[in-house]
Amino acid sequence: RRSNAVRALSAAAAAGALLVAPAEVSAFAPATRLARTVPLASPSHSRLFAEGGRDKRPEDASASDPNPGGLSEWSTGSDDGDSPSNSGGFLDTLQAWAQSPEGRGDIQTYFFSLTLALVLRVAIIEPRYIPSLSMYPTFDVGDQLAVEKVTKRLRPFERREVVVFNPPQAFKDIVGSSRTGKEALIKRIVAVGGDEVEVKNGGRLYVNGQLQDEPYTAENAEYEFGPVEVPFGNVLVLGDNRNHSLDGHIWGYLPVENVIGRACFVYWPPWHLGSEGLY
């Protein structure tokens, strides 16, 4: 009888376990499979019920999560950008570039170009800008032209050539020191050393007694000048706009050593491009 009672109690307990198991997991799973795969009283379940239905995080949760919040890898310094990794960044980058083969090549190219430009500017050719109408119609205000400096050492100056020069002392005495500074002037040579020059007969130019054909002038001069003889080592220069030019008929002769160079061509604006009227 006792063994029969024990077997009856065991069967009843098993039946009760089968009836409770589906309600804990899912109402759609077979009771026998769930009873085999899902433990009814696991350690986590025991802790869950013991702590009021919430699974609390362990106190050392940060040890199990190497990057809590997902932000620790974004910044290693302060928010204002003053972290040690940023200090001197530009100088370090510049130094690294200068020491690289590409940087050294760029530096060499830069200094070579600069040296070549300076040599060209000082000894061979330089740009000039026309600020006034004293040489109109050959040049207009704003024209930019190239002035070459080589041929002045190779051949003497000739009549009709347009030259750029540093003003002589007589010019400075007339206009005062406030206007001169580093100012350079541009005029046309009308006579060289040893020539006899005269402006007469309605403002026409005569050199050594011969009337000069000057298609580049704006109009005949409204003054008379000479006759005078140009000293050797000097030239006489006049503006093509004869009545609106402060030139040699006022301040005298130009020493040839004051000449910077010959105007060779206009390069700006494009519609004035060329060398017409410069020789």
Side-chain angles (χ1 to χ4, degrees), residues 33-66:
R33 180 168 61 83
L34 290 171
R36 289 196 301 268
T37 58
V38 180
L40 297 179
S42 65
S44 61
H45 292 157
S46 301
R47 187 173 64 250
L48 178 64
F49 290 114
E51 296 176 356
R54 291 182 299 172
D55 189 5
K56 293 185 178 180
R57 183 180 298 272
E59 294 181 358
D60 59 345
S62 60
S64 62
D65 187 356

Side-chain angles (χ1 to χ4, degrees), residues 137-199:
T138 305
F139 301 121
D140 205 344
V141 173
D143 285 357
Q144 298 181 39
L145 63 147
V147 179
E148 62 88 11
K149 304 179 178 182
V150 178
T151 58
K152 70 176 185 178
R153 302 181 181 91
L154 303 178
R155 60 182 177 86
F157 295 106
E158 300 177 356
R159 305 184 197 100
R160 294 175 174 257
E161 290 181 331
V162 177
V163 294
V164 175
F165 56 91
N166 295 314
Q169 186 59 45
F171 175 87
K172 299 177 182 179
D173 294 340
I174 293 174
V175 301
S177 58
S178 60
R179 264 198 59 187
T180 56
K182 296 183 179 180
E183 179 182 12
L185 305 179
I186 182 169
K187 306 293 178 189
R188 188 182 299 273
I189 297 176
V190 297
V192 298
D195 285 342
E196 183 181 82
V197 186
E198 187 173 8
V199 177

